[in-house]
Amino acid sequence: ETGLQVEGEPILLQRLVPGVITYEARRWPAMSFEVDLPCGLPVASGDRTYVEQILRNLLANAAKYSEPGGTITVVGDADGDAAAIRVLDRGPGIDVAEAERLFELYYRSPVTARRRAGSGIGLYVCRGLATAMGGHIWARPRPGGGSEFGFSLPAIATEDDGLPATTTVADDGLASTTGRVP
């Protein structure tokens, strides 16, 4: 609520996301997890810990509100000048009219509040973290049922963008970029 701003560091989401999914899959053994992260996903600017926190919350919510035996799919996309991660489930879904309210402090959808306990804080925090990193977060119903919760972070320009830069990836999934970046 105080207008937090975070200095971004280069992050390769295709290196970070699988580790978070592996951790969450152990917490939710009744669920199946699938991942679709293209090799060409842009290098994102963000804070690794905050990105992990957002993704953990979205995965935990998808698992908590889906039926046991369901599948949660994580998809990465280039979204204009951003890198996006979408968490897809086939749970009870959300009402399009409620989508923005889900990110309000303490708000819980009447449909899901009856199904599972919660405080209505997690998505609020996720929105604050995504915004502080220069990104955004969203929720929408999926055709055929279920929900999509996603977030995007600004992409960092690399050689392919016509700017001279070199990106090096460390074993921890962090990328460091040298050269000229916007």
Side-chain angles (χ1 to χ4, degrees):
E1 291 181 297
T2 61
L4 172 72
Q5 288 188 311
V6 175
E7 275 299 312
E9 60 190 3
I11 300 172
L12 281 179
L13 293 170
Q14 57 272 60
R15 289 302 248 350
L16 183 141
V17 170
V20 176
I21 293 171
T22 298
Y23 178 84
E24 288 300 319
R26 285 188 290 242
R27 288 187 57 215
W28 304 97
M31 303 303 297
S32 295
F33 293 83
E34 296 178 353
V35 63
D36 179 12
L37 299 170
C39 293
L41 194 62
V43 176
S45 174
D47 179 282
R48 179 185 175 95
T49 301
Y50 293 160
V51 172
E52 287 179 357
Q53 185 173 352
I54 293 169
L55 184 56
R56 284 181 200 283
N57 185 274
L58 298 183
L59 289 169
N61 282 352
K64 182 163 81 168
Y65 294 109
S66 293
E67 293 298 322
T71 299
I72 297 166
T73 305
V74 179
V75 178
D77 296 305
D79 183 15
D81 57 352
I85 299 293
R86 299 180 297 129
V87 176
L88 311 171
D89 67 54
R90 290 291 180 196
I94 60 171
D95 184 329
V96 70
E98 270 188 314
E100 283 301 309
R101 293 212 59 208
L102 294 173
F103 296 99
E104 292 175 8
L105 184 58
Y106 304 125
Y107 181 80
R108 297 198 61 225
S109 170
V111 173
T112 56
R114 288 188 293 263
R115 296 177 59 131
R116 302 282 188 264
S119 63
I121 296 173
L123 291 175
Y124 173 80
V125 169
C126 288
R127 171 164 276 169
L129 294 175
T131 301
M133 292 185 285
H136 77 281
I137 192 166
W138 64 88
R140 58 179 74 117
R142 290 183 67 197
S147 303
E148 172 185 321
F149 282 80
F151 65 98
S152 66
L153 299 170
I156 296 176
T158 61
E159 286 178 28
D160 294 339
D161 299 319
L163 298 175
T166 303
T167 301
T168 307
V169 180
D171 289 338
D172 63 2
L174 291 177
S176 60
T177 302
T178 56
R180 200 176 119 224
V181 294

